[in-house]
Amino acid sequence: MLQKSLFVILLLCSFFSNAQIVINEIDSDTNSTDVKEFIELKSSVPNFALDGYVVVFFNAGSSSPYSGTFSYYVIDLDGLVTDGNGIILLGNPQVIPTASFIIPQNTIQNGPDVVAVYNGNASDFPINTPAIATNLVDALAYSNSGTTSASALMTILGETISYNENFNGLATSQSIQRKTDGTYEVKTPTPRSNNDGSGIVFNGIAISYSSISITEGQSFSITYTTDNPVSSPLNLFITLNNSSFNSNDFSGNLNATIPSGSNTVTSTIQILNDGNNEGDENMKISLAAVPSEYLILNNNISIRVNDINFVMHPWGTPIRPTYGICPAAIPAGYYSSLEGKSGQNLRLAIRDIIANPNSVRVQNYGDAYTALRDTDQNPENSGQVWMIYDEQPISKIDYQTDNSTIGKWNREHIYCQSRLGIPSTFIPNGIPDGINTWRLTTGSTDIEASHDDIHHLRAVGGQENSTRNNRNYGVDYNGPSGNIGSWRGDVARAIFYMAIRYNTLNVVNGDPSSSPTGQIGDLATLLSWNSLDPADDFEMNRNNVIYNWQMNRNPFVDYPALVNYVFGNLTNVTWNAALSTTDFNQKSPTIYPNPAKNQILISGLDQISTLEIFTLSGGKVAIYTVSNETSIDLNLLTGIYLVKITNDAFSTTKKLLVN
């Protein structure tokens, strides 16, 4: 008897853990501007958690930018659960009854298209991802015309039938619905209900809120709305605690009651200013269990609580840079061994400093995340980090901890991880153990240390990290569309550091994508970027903070001119720090105002000089002959430019912001 019971239990566990998810209904073509589109999924068991599933919409239309076999919209189902009928509704705000996940109106294409359910995450299917059959759970091909079908998509996904929503000539008032035999029919929509009319009819409870982001000292409202008026008072209770956010951070009543005959109630919560600089936090609205005839449509909702007690650095962000405010915290005599050397001797002397096995420390990969919260801190808000390619800040707490990159930041390897040549047996340690736990490097052959080297790790938006992948700069990757390139000199100097610090790494001309191990490009582009985008205070602060962790500095941030003596056209020239510097901050000429609008004034020059203005991509837009106290009328579009001043004595470059 015991054996039979165990067998039944194991069978049920297997059944529940492998519940099948199918596309139960789709209504893609609705009246007017498509404000009632929806897709409905059904699990083979009720109350099934949809963690690990994702819905992907593929467009086969020729007029779409994502046409052919590519994705155009993705829904990550993590955190969602089917109801007592095994149903979950995903739809526009105007769909009745209310959906558990809101899809912006006019999103679902009319077809011929395919919608599919996969085991995976939204990060696996960024927009314009080709359709694949791997990890496919279910798919439905559909259109609103009987004469066309998404044939290429259907072939990839193994579908043989395309269902026509306009089969009865009523496309805008009917939907495509799954039958018990697994085929589909077209009839009047049945959102959030079994297609055959059976099952439980739930009264859904939707939670809405006045804002997804609230600042300390402000209040916000939470509204609870049921599909239909309640027949007796419905008592609701929520919690808001989440990690460090607790009852000390807010005031207000966590109980609310929808009175009999009504379908809504609103409560107000006051967020308190605790006076502490603790960074942003996430509050979580969690509604407790409700009577069985009710269905909680959305729950465990994160609301950002912005800390107003942040601190600011005195220097600017990379897109509004400043120079000379953050001093270079170089230990006395740190670079003295470089003096009088050139060529290979200079290269080896630099390596002896930054790969010194007697002093240089190696932290683990978890510590790199901790360090980035300081090295890449937004100068304007200590609760944020600055994302390098995205050129904007993001809250420190939005670090990616799962497979979803949307709205998250993570660690970018400037020198592509796949090109480092790290042994396959190497397993990164992702558990931070603090600045005081480290090992000494074994020297320039310590390639495993390159994985965790903070000098080439940067905070970056998760999606842009995936986009950059292992592409070479300049010849292939130049940042997201519309970026101004405020990061270009930074990545150049990080790569030059890596090519010296580790003796198996190099930076070469062109696009060495065919044999990437130990090579990255493009040298010519990076040399130009180092010159046109000089090190600013943000980058100098990074260098200072990293030294505290690793006990080595990036010499090309301290002396950007050194790049040309190692990688450029001065490899046969002897290095002398005092004579070789071209750092703008160590020269007397000034440009003001900065930011500027229509005019700038040049002062501090003791001889006639040439002033050139470049875009950040290197295009020259103006050239002038200037001397002390020269006024220049600008005719430039809003943006950031590089101003290069040269004469017989020196050459200097500085960023200019034009409003």
Side-chain angles (χ1 to χ4, degrees):
M1 183 66 179
L2 179 60
Q3 289 180 332
K4 289 184 178 179
S5 298
L6 288 173
F7 174 76
V8 171
I9 292 172
L10 290 172
L11 182 63
L12 288 173
C13 288
S14 176
F15 176 69
F16 275 79
S17 63
N18 295 284
Q20 179 64 28
I21 307 298
V22 297
I23 299 166
N24 199 50
E25 185 174 357
I26 188 168
D27 193 356
S28 64
D29 192 356
T30 65
N31 283 325
S32 185
T33 55
D34 282 338
V35 296
K36 294 185 177 182
E37 307 162 327
F38 71 84
I39 181 171
E40 183 184 85
L41 308 179
K42 185 175 178 64
S43 60
S44 56
V45 296
N47 305 310
F48 182 72
L50 296 172
D51 295 339
Y53 290 90
V54 61
V55 178
V56 185
F57 295 83
F58 295 102
N59 193 305
S62 59
S63 62
S64 168
Y66 310 119
S67 62
T69 61
F70 300 101
S71 61
Y72 70 90
Y73 186 64
V74 182
I75 302 174
D76 198 308
L77 300 179
D78 286 354
L80 299 177
V81 181
T82 61
D83 62 21
N85 295 317
I87 296 288
I88 188 166
L89 177 65
L90 320 168
N92 294 161
Q94 295 185 33
V95 173
I96 300 174
T98 304
S100 295
F101 181 92
I102 300 301
I103 299 174
Q105 67 182 45
N106 197 25
T107 292
I108 302 177
Q109 301 294 323
N110 294 337
D113 295 319
V114 173
V115 60
V117 179
Y118 289 90
N119 287 123
N121 295 276
S123 58
D124 301 325
F125 297 93
I127 302 306
N128 211 17
T129 298
I132 57 173
T134 305
N135 296 324
L136 179 66
V137 175
D138 190 35
L140 172 63
Y142 68 93
S143 72
N144 61 355
S145 170
T147 60
T148 58
S149 65
S151 56
L153 280 167
M154 292 169 64
T155 299
I156 294 170
L157 301 177
E159 294 298 304
T160 57
I161 301 174
S162 178
Y163 291 92
N164 177 17
E165 190 173 346
N166 199 37
F167 182 79
N168 299 317
L170 300 170
T172 60
S173 60
Q174 293 189 332
S175 66
I176 301 171
Q177 302 177 34
R178 185 183 179 91
K179 299 192 295 184
T180 55
D181 64 0
T183 62
Y184 290 82
E185 61 183 338
V186 179
K187 61 178 185 178
T188 301
T190 60
R192 223 176 72 204
S193 299
N194 286 333
N195 297 334
D196 60 5
S198 64
I200 309 167
V201 177
F202 293 99
N203 194 356
I205 306 172
I207 304 172
S208 57
Y209 33 91
S210 56
S211 176
I212 62 171
S213 180
I214 187 77
T215 300
E216 288 181 338
Q218 296 180 337
S219 62
F220 78 105
S221 60
I222 306 174
T223 300
Y224 312 89
T225 306
T226 57
D227 293 334
N228 304 299
V230 300
S231 57
S232 60
L234 175 61
N235 296 315
L236 304 170
F237 176 75
I238 61 168
T239 59
L240 300 177
N241 290 11
N242 181 43
S243 187
S244 61
F245 186 88
N246 54 49
S247 58
N248 296 321
D249 297 310
F250 67 90
S251 64
N253 193 352
L254 300 180
N255 297 287
T257 299
I258 299 179
S260 179
S262 178
N263 76 325
T264 187
V265 66
T266 298
S267 60
T268 300
I269 301 294
Q270 177 74 32
I271 304 300
L272 305 178
N273 175 16
D274 58 12
N276 296 322
N277 174 24
E278 56 195 358
D280 298 342
E281 298 174 288
N282 280 329
M283 169 179 59
K284 184 174 288 186
I285 303 174
S286 298
L287 179 59
V290 296
S292 59
E293 65 268 27
Y294 292 95
L295 172 66
I296 302 175
L297 298 175
N298 55 337
N299 205 3
N300 300 317
I301 302 162
S302 289
I303 304 293
R304 174 57 44 78
V305 178
N306 301 305
D307 189 0
I308 64 173
N309 301 290
F310 58 82
V311 297
M312 300 174 64
H313 285 313
W315 48 83
T317 67
I319 63 171
R320 288 183 291 275
T322 58
Y323 303 86
I325 298 175
C326 179
I330 306 172
Y334 188 74
Y335 292 117
S336 60
S337 61
L338 307 186
E339 295 298 303
K341 292 184 173 62
S342 64
Q344 184 66 10
N345 289 333
L346 178 60
R347 176 185 286 257
L348 293 176
I350 297 172
R351 179 172 291 163
D352 287 342
I353 297 172
I354 63 177
N356 187 345
N358 297 313
S359 59
V360 176
R361 300 173 179 178
V362 178
Q363 304 285 346
N364 69 37
Y365 199 42
D367 287 326
Y369 157 64
T370 304
L372 286 177
R373 291 164 58 89
D374 290 333
T375 63
D376 291 17
Q377 181 173 296
N378 177 16
E380 297 177 347
N381 186 329
S382 59
Q384 301 172 334
V385 293
W386 186 267
M387 298 185 292
I388 181 170
Y389 309 133
D390 310 80
E391 298 183 319
Q392 60 182 311
I394 188 172
S395 178
K396 288 180 178 179
I397 65 173
D398 287 328
Y399 179 73
Q400 181 186 340
T401 57
D402 54 26
N403 290 324
S404 177
T405 60
I406 299 173
K408 304 294 182 180
W409 67 276
N410 57 29
R411 293 161 289 193
E412 158 76 326
H413 288 82
I414 299 299
Y415 201 113
C416 316
Q417 187 175 173
S418 63
R419 298 171 184 255
L420 294 174
I422 297 173
S424 59
T425 54
F426 173 74
I427 302 176
N429 179 5
I431 302 175
D433 51 22
I435 193 170
N436 294 319
T437 302
W438 42 268
R439 70 170 175 84
L440 284 174
T441 184
T442 57
S444 63
T445 61
D446 189 1
I447 196 61
E448 290 185 354
S450 68
H451 181 273
D452 308 333
D453 196 319
I454 309 169
H455 279 298
H456 85 123
L457 294 174
R458 291 293 293 261
V460 67
Q463 291 179 291
E464 192 58 33
N465 192 351
S466 299
T467 298
R468 190 261 164 148
N469 198 3
N470 66 347
R471 296 158 63 189
N472 291 293
Y473 294 105
V475 291
D476 189 5
Y477 181 77
N478 288 279
S481 175
N483 84 108
I484 61 174
S486 61
W487 47 270
R488 291 178 176 174
D490 300 46
V491 302
R493 288 179 283 275
I495 286 176
F496 291 134
Y497 160 88
M498 293 293 286
I500 296 297
R501 166 68 176 87
Y502 302 97
N503 64 9
T504 58
L505 303 182
N506 196 12
V507 53
V508 299
N509 275 313
D511 185 5
S513 55
S514 59
S515 55
T517 301
Q519 295 185 1
I520 194 169
D522 168 46
L523 175 59
T525 296
L526 296 173
L527 286 170
S528 173
W529 286 0
N530 174 66
S531 173
L532 293 175
D533 179 24
D536 55 22
D537 288 317
F538 182 89
E539 196 176 357
M540 185 60 72
N541 178 66
R542 286 194 89 249
N543 209 16
N544 293 341
V545 175
I546 294 171
Y547 179 80
N548 293 333
W549 282 85
Q550 296 186 174
M551 301 304 290
N552 71 348
R553 300 181 64 85
N554 184 340
F556 304 116
V557 173
D558 292 329
Y559 295 105
L562 186 58
V563 168
N564 291 322
Y565 289 76
V566 181
F567 296 96
N569 59 357
L570 300 177
T571 55
N572 294 322
V573 178
T574 298
W575 168 256
N576 181 290
L579 298 178
S580 304
T581 181
T582 59
D583 180 44
F584 190 92
N585 304 312
Q586 300 183 36
K587 292 296 178 179
S588 57
T590 58
I591 300 175
Y592 63 94
N594 191 4
K597 289 187 177 180
N598 302 316
Q599 190 178 72
I600 56 174
L601 181 68
I602 314 301
S603 64
L605 290 171
D606 56 8
Q607 61 179 283
I608 295 175
S609 306
T610 298
L611 183 147
E612 300 168 285
I613 302 178
F614 298 85
T615 64
L616 287 180
S617 60
K620 186 186 296 185
V621 295
I623 184 170
Y624 304 91
T625 298
V626 296
S627 58
N628 195 32
E629 300 297 328
T630 300
S631 176
I632 294 177
D633 293 326
L634 300 176
N635 184 22
L636 300 173
L637 298 175
T638 299
I640 294 181
Y641 297 85
L642 284 308
V643 178
K644 184 176 182 180
I645 301 175
T646 55
N647 57 38
D648 293 338
F650 63 85
S651 174
T652 70
T653 304
K654 187 173 183 179
K655 288 182 182 177
L656 170 67
L657 177 61
V658 177
N659 290 331

